[in-house]
Amino acid sequence: ISNISYSKELEDQLLSTDIYLSYDIVNQEIMYEKNIDMRISPASLTKLMTALILFENYALAEELLVTLPSDYIYEGKVAYLKNGDKLSTEQLLEFLLVYSANDSAYVAALQVSETIEDFVLLMNKRARQLGMNSTNFSNPEGLDDNEHYTTLNDLLTLSIYIIKNTTLIDITSKNSFMFEIDNNLQKYSSTNLLLKEG
């Protein structure tokens, strides 16, 4: 906020949510925050952890074969990836981080682990390694569940790690990407509305 003296009262007037966090990555300090240790649903931000684990296990150019659970039901925002489709790790990460496709999270999970349950255990293990001690994952895509929760403070920890230690931020910055399904080249646009504001 430029040319305005900052106060807690002003912060409350400008922000309409009861839970928020703004972090200055350059100076490594929290600028504004409220209830950052309150338990919340991570929703599609869950895919950050799914993407991180995929990224840590496969090279970006590696070709992957789509495998979905036999009982998988397409739910929420999906790309309708099908068993047998081929794509690179980078393309799968685009589906995760740009288009936020739920089915891509299951594809990623089964690239790394034999079962979804094993992958969820890996997600929680990685969360503890990063110091996300108030987080518990129960699925790889972020659909609501009583046992699927985090805090803004933990999401900050995950975000800082990704920004400092991976190239995933480059993928999340894309406005869109192209991918061919059933011999049709399709455009997939980002779900991040903030990209339109630069």
Side-chain angles (χ1 to χ4, degrees):
I1 303 170
S2 60
N3 301 322
I4 301 175
S5 60
Y6 174 78
S7 71
K8 182 70 177 166
E9 184 178 302
L10 177 62
E11 179 182 317
D12 289 337
Q13 290 173 5
L14 293 173
L15 299 170
S16 60
T17 179
D18 287 329
I19 306 170
Y20 55 82
L21 186 154
S22 179
Y23 183 77
D24 182 339
I25 194 87
V26 175
N27 294 309
Q28 300 181 31
E29 63 183 7
I30 293 175
M31 297 185 297
Y32 320 118
E33 56 92 6
K34 187 174 183 181
N35 296 322
I36 62 173
D37 292 311
M38 181 180 290
R39 184 179 288 188
I40 59 171
S41 171
S44 279
L45 291 176
T46 300
K47 295 183 181 84
L48 286 174
M49 179 60 81
T50 301
L52 176 62
I53 294 173
L54 179 68
F55 175 81
E56 291 177 336
N57 282 274
Y58 287 93
L60 289 178
E62 191 162 346
E63 185 178 83
L64 308 175
L65 194 66
V66 169
T67 303
L68 286 161
S70 58
D71 60 347
Y72 182 73
I73 297 172
Y74 294 97
E75 188 175 4
K77 185 168 189 177
V78 294
Y80 293 102
L81 298 172
K82 300 185 304 298
N83 286 321
D85 285 345
K86 293 180 181 178
L87 73 175
S88 69
T89 304
E90 184 170 7
Q91 289 171 319
L92 184 51
L93 288 166
E94 288 172 335
F95 276 115
L96 278 167
L97 299 174
V98 179
Y99 191 65
S100 192
N102 289 341
D103 49 346
S104 69
Y106 282 84
V107 173
L110 291 180
Q111 293 299 318
V112 177
S113 301
E114 289 189 16
T115 68
I116 299 302
E117 292 75 18
D118 286 345
F119 187 77
V120 169
L121 289 174
L122 191 58
M123 293 173 75
N124 287 311
K125 179 180 178 182
R126 194 72 183 93
R128 297 299 164 269
Q129 290 171 344
L130 293 174
M132 299 171 65
N133 297 317
S134 299
T135 294
N136 190 75
F137 296 110
S138 66
N139 62 65
E141 87 281 20
L143 290 180
D144 284 348
D145 182 90
N146 287 336
E147 295 304 312
H148 193 80
Y149 55 82
T150 189
T151 65
L152 282 184
N153 212 10
D154 277 6
L155 289 175
L156 174 63
T157 297
L158 176 60
S159 299
I160 291 171
Y161 182 83
I162 286 174
I163 290 168
K164 289 186 174 181
N165 297 283
T166 75
T167 58
L168 292 178
I169 194 68
D170 297 334
I171 294 173
T172 63
S173 300
K174 293 181 180 181
N175 284 305
S176 64
F177 65 95
M178 306 295 290
F179 187 76
E180 187 175 305
I181 290 187
D182 296 329
N183 296 318
N184 291 316
L185 193 61
Q186 298 183 35
K187 181 179 181 180
Y188 296 86
S189 297
S190 175
T191 58
N192 186 355
L193 299 178
L194 290 176
L195 289 176
K196 295 177 182 175
E197 299 179 13

